Amino acid sequence: MINKLLIANRGEIACRIARSAREMGIATLAIASAADEEALHVRSCDEVVHLGGHNPAESYLRRDAIIAAALEHGADAVHPGYGFLSEDPEFAQAVQEAGLLWVGPPAEAIRAMGLKDAAKALMQKVGVPIVPGYHGEAQSLQVLQQAATEIGYPVLIKAVAGGGGKGMRRVDRPEEFAAHLASAQSEAQGAFGNARVLIEKFIANPRHIEIQIFGDGQTAVHLYERDCSLQRRHQKVIEEAPAPHMPHAVRNEMGQAAVRAAEAIGYVSAGTVEFIVDGSASLREDSFYFMEMNTRLQVEHPVTEEILGIDLVAWQLQVAAGGVLPLTQDQIQAQGHSIEARLYAEDSDQGFLPSIGQLHHLKFGPGLRVEAGVTQGGQVTPYYDPMIAKLIATGPDRASALQRLLRGLQLTQIAGLKTNRDFLVALLQHQDFVAGRFDTGLIARDMEALTRAPAPAAEDWARAALCAMGLLDTGRDRQCNVGFTLFTPLRQSVALRHKDQLQTLQVSLRPGGRAVVDVAGETVELGLGDLPQRAAVLAAGKAYLFGAQTFVFDVIDPLERTATVHSDGAITAPMPGLVKQVFVHAGQEVAAGDPIVVLEAMKMQHTLCADHAGRVENLSATQDQQVEAGMALAVIQAEREEAG
Ligand code: ADP
Ligand code: ADP
Ligand code: MG
């Protein structure tokens, strides 16, 4: 029996583990870094130990401090979640030596699967098919290159200590081998402190299909498969169970191979055996190969729980406390279909860089199982993985699960940060994905189309203008047809910027709650009480329109605009900040209202505009420049002075 569980992790997985523990009557102890003092996972647990620090090395990776906290607070078990210390055999061992239960596999099992080369050798021995390739000791360029030639191009160079797609390079031609090898080795050395690599045949049209397994040290069972082929740079984006078009016989073969792998290492707890499958033809019993085993709970475990109706974390806790497997292989029956999408704070316009900041507004769509580590008002910090939530939809079949996930995502609203929501929405509508005919190359092949962002239509500009005036904010907990008050001027001009397009819109309010908006000469009439086609949210100086596509407009405050322009035409920085964009060059003629510079301060962007027409002179602002408050960035020399 476990009485109190220390959860050695953060974010959504810590919240997820706390939920199962609570349902089982187990008390929970959180750990938190300084950056996470008020995080959701802390609030989801009964007690917390503050470790201080921000980076993982100063917090979630402090093995001794975590074990000491467990002992001091009377915890009797430790669950590592995924990532961080979950696959660290020394930590697993130290936990047990301290007299605590380890909710995971034995240190020996983690070690056996820790390095991909040793794992492949072991799997070969117990008759699990492995990807043809070289996983020997010798690491000279000559040996590796020779191996690649024998395997036949294209090949994959993989760091033996790799994870998360790091230290991996595909090589298509022999003449590129040496350069790719050097870069894979240096990335592996940097990320894992181990430069060793193996060489594998690159499987054509690869599908990533993995088997969830579970062991109690005596026997192991398999819990069906997950298809995780939708990947960006070898990182999973969408996962589903079961795999589309999976023949029964192939599932059985793969499941049995995975069970052999688990039993070969006396596996305890949840684990995943990852296979790469040749997807160039239909799935066959001889076309799957062992890739690696992850000796922990996996990010995408919820889709398995959904189709089997089981709680994998509860199983982990029962087995860690000495229990046997709750079900036999025959009793494990799947029903329906489940799909998960990983919602990240990232900027798809800028190579999916993490987007850091506050979640001013966060509302998930209906019909979803949401596994989140943050709530509205929370922060995404630069210290950890920028995942906002995992969204999971389940239905009696794939089409209905897909429809539910798509609708749920389309009705998900996030303001304050850039997210991959629109990318996920596009991905779920990709015709090959919809048909269930896809491989790991789908995203890279169609990246352009998947990230293409249409420009807002006149109606979107009009809606954004009303939202900027506070007349259409559907995000607040009030009726959206607020109409307008006595204090709302009947005519108003609103300046908005979308990407580098700036427009000043004229809004006229009419009786009966109607608004007429002039958008660059085009007239759009809207009813404030109309059911919005697009939800609108005003947050932190931006107007957000949500729908199939998210549009974000900077609302340019007219007061701020004039405050920063002096009588001599100088535009000065109203606050210290970073120059994000310079719209003009020296000598350029500008009109009143034209944007000159975007300044970022306190994580908000401010557009500084010309308040009169003229020529740009003394332009000192340059992109990415840090500027002080009051610093002159440019001077707009009025036309008439020049004429005179
Ligand atoms: P794999 O791609 O090998 O199957 P997963 O998809 O299960 O791995 O992702 C595990 C990864 O999640 C870890 O390697 C790590 O980068 C990341 N991670 C670790 N801890 C957390 C956390 N608390 N929240 C979100 N992501 C995390
Ligand atoms: P990691 O430890 O980084 O998760 P994996 O060995 O699991 O590394 O590989 C990550 C991904 O790379 C796989 O999900 C798959 O998309 C791709 N991949 C790996 N091995 C091969 C291969 N031999 N042929 C084609 N693609 C592969
Ligand atoms: Mg992997």
Side-chain angles (χ1 to χ4, degrees), residues 315-327:
W315 278 34
Q316 285 189 300
L317 295 170
Q318 285 169 38
V319 168
V324 294
L325 285 177
L327 295 177

Side-chain angles (χ1 to χ4, degrees), residues 9-11 13 82-84 164 235-236 274 292 294 296 298-300 342 385 387:
N9 214 304
R10 64 175 304 281
I13 191 61
Y82 56 74
F84 297 127
Q235 299 261 38
K236 298 161 188 167
E274 295 188 334
E292 66 163 344
N294 293 321
R296 54 172 161 81
Q298 201 102 336
V299 173
E300 55 275 19
R342 299 191 189 190
D385 188 293
M387 184 151 74

Side-chain angles (χ1 to χ4, degrees), residues 360 540-542 575 598-606:
H360 291 292
K542 293 183 200 294
M575 60 201 59
V598 175
L599 192 66
E600 189 181 81
M602 315 287 287
K603 301 263 180 262
M604 276 176 55
Q605 297 199 348
H606 306 269

Side-chain angles (χ1 to χ4, degrees), residues 478-515:
R478 59 175 166 83
Q479 289 269 300
C480 63
N481 55 344
V482 285
F484 33 89
T485 69
L486 277 178
F487 305 106
T488 313
L490 290 181
R491 278 187 64 84
Q492 199 169 318
S493 86
V494 179
L496 297 174
R497 188 169 67 94
H498 179 265
K499 303 213 165 137
D500 45 18
Q501 198 187 355
L502 185 109
Q503 289 207 39
T504 304
L505 303 104
Q506 304 301 327
V507 181
S508 311
L509 298 176
R510 300 279 162 80
R514 301 204 66 76

Side-chain angles (χ1 to χ4, degrees), residues 566 570-576 627-633:
H566 298 250
I571 294 186
T572 60
M575 60 201 59
V627 296
E628 295 305 321
M631 191 169 146
L633 304 177

Side-chain angles (χ1 to χ4, degrees), residues 116 158 162-165 168 208 210 231 234 236 274 291-294 296 298 300:
K116 293 185 204 285
K158 271 190 198 178
M168 191 159 4
H208 173 121
E210 58 186 33
Q231 303 185 345
H234 308 300
K236 298 161 188 167
E274 295 188 334
M291 245 186 333
E292 66 163 344
M293 178 167 181
N294 293 321
R296 54 172 161 81
Q298 201 102 336
E300 55 275 19

